[in-house]
Amino acid sequence: MPIPQPLLSTAARALFCAALVFAVIMAILPKPPQLPTDALGDKFHHILAFAALSTLAALGWPRASRWRTIERLSFLGALIEVVQALPALHRDCDIRDWVADTVAIMVVTGIFAWLARPRKREAAQQDCGD
């Protein structure tokens, strides 16, 4: 039995908020904890974090503009890089991290837009009486 859309959106929004807080905290910790995925590199962490945030945003706000989601999450990635430039954090600011974030966001939102297309066409055909 499929999950009702309002329940799915509400759950995804709550998970988005939790994931957002977790991602920002991990990004600004002066000494983040060691993770099993550290061997895959820093870019992997960026891609994973922003792919998860994009997925939860697409599920939580299904009617939101894809471009607005890209803009806002990409801005978050850029802001994290600016904060990481603060000397007190002893972190590295790297524009390639922001690029990885943005590419992950665009790929995930693109997949969701592609998946939503057939449903939009079907709904339009039903509205026209076809």
Side-chain angles (χ1 to χ4, degrees), residues 2-130:
I3 300 171
Q5 183 62 36
L7 180 61
L8 178 62
S9 291
T10 301
R13 288 176 184 190
L15 288 172
F16 175 86
C17 291
L20 178 69
V21 169
F22 177 76
V24 170
I25 288 172
M26 291 296 284
I28 64 172
L29 280 175
K31 221 174 179 153
Q34 296 292 320
L35 299 171
T37 56
D38 284 350
L40 298 173
D42 181 51
K43 301 299 176 276
F44 176 78
H45 293 142
H46 282 267
I47 291 167
L48 183 63
F50 280 87
L53 288 169
S54 299
T55 298
L56 293 169
L59 293 172
W61 293 273
R63 291 194 173 117
S65 160
R66 172 182 181 226
W67 298 109
R68 181 168 285 172
T69 301
I70 292 169
E71 170 200 28
R72 291 180 180 183
L73 288 177
S74 180
F75 179 76
L76 172 66
L79 186 60
I80 285 171
E81 292 307 312
V82 169
V83 171
Q84 285 182 340
L86 296 172
L89 292 181
H90 304 288
R91 299 292 297 256
D92 294 323
C93 172
D94 186 351
I95 193 167
R96 293 172 298 177
D97 290 343
W98 172 69
V99 170
D101 300 342
T102 303
V103 169
I105 296 161
M106 292 179 77
V107 167
V108 170
T109 58
I111 290 169
F112 273 91
W114 180 74
L115 290 173
R117 280 194 139 163
R119 284 187 260 138
K120 286 182 181 177
R121 271 190 243 122
E122 289 173 12
Q125 288 174 351
Q126 287 175 357
D127 288 344
C128 293
D130 292 339

